[in-house]
Every structure is written in C-alpha cells, then in structure tokens.
Amino acid sequence: MDKSWDQQVEDYWNASAAKSGEQLRAELDELLSGLDPNDPRVLFEIASLHDFLGEEQLAVEPYSKALQAGLPGQKQDEARIQLASTLRNLGDFDQAISLLEQVSPDSDLHIDAQGFLTLALSDAGRQTEAVRIAVTALAPASKLYARALSAYAHDLSAPGVAQS
C-alpha cells in the first residue's frame, strides 16, 4: 500500500455519503482486492465500513484485530477512537474509556479522544469526571478565561468525594 492507495481510500470515504451500503461494500471489496486480509489497514477499513453502515457489532472484531496487528501512525489512534465509540454505543463503557485513555496527549487526535472520553464517562455515570475532561480540553481554546477554567476543572471533586 502506498500514497496512491491512501488517496484511493480517502476518495472512497469522501464519496461515501451518497452511496448505498451495497455499493459501498462492492467498492471497498474492489479497493481491498489482492491485499493481505490480515493487514491492519485492511482490517481498519472493513471495520470502518461496518461502523459507517451502523453494523457496530460487526465492526468490533476487525477494529480489535487491526489494533493488535499494529496499525501505523495516526491510524492507530483513529482505530482506538472509532472502536471506543462503537463500544460505547454497544454499552461497553469501561472498555471504551480504557481505549480512549490510551490516546496520548501528544497525538493530533487527543482532543477528539477527549470528546469521546467525555461521552463514555458520562454514559458510565461518571459525570463529574466527564465535566472535568471536557472543561480541561476546552480551556485552551478560551479567549480570556483559560486559566480559570483549567483551575475550576482541576478542583472538581472526584466521584464520591464531597466538595467543601
């Protein structure tokens, strides 16, 4: 797989909104034909299509296999976020949280992961932690009150701890 393949994949997804599931499956099959079915990038695209089509249960295994097989670069964080979102939608909040916490603060997708982490924490009943994560992620974008927002987020009590 090379840049031209990556561009073909990007073109495929950019044109996906107006197509039927049947058409998308056929086009992805064609795009992936001749490639190693165990290649993590192939598994990731298969999982992504299942997810896109609302077939979340079918997306879990190829996402997991893609991560285990060692997706390169940013795709690894994309897979973590997409799998976590899928697991959250399936009610597996703890596994979703675990995956999202693996996205490094140095990642270009860290803020994206924090948004999904906020949702997963909220769904898991950990609202205070969810608010802390959300406000901490939002604070740097604040025009005037970044320091105050960061301090208030830090001061939010942990679940089960009374505030003074």
Side-chain angles (χ1 to χ4, degrees), residues 2 43 56 58 66 71 79 88 146:
D2 56 20
L43 292 165
E56 292 161 325
L58 296 175
L71 271 171
R88 176 185 159 263

Side-chain angles (χ1 to χ4, degrees), residues 77-93:
D77 286 338
E78 288 179 37
R80 283 186 179 122
I81 291 168
Q82 289 177 211
L83 174 56
S85 178
T86 296
L87 291 169
R88 176 185 159 263
N89 289 336
L90 294 171
D92 190 347
F93 310 130

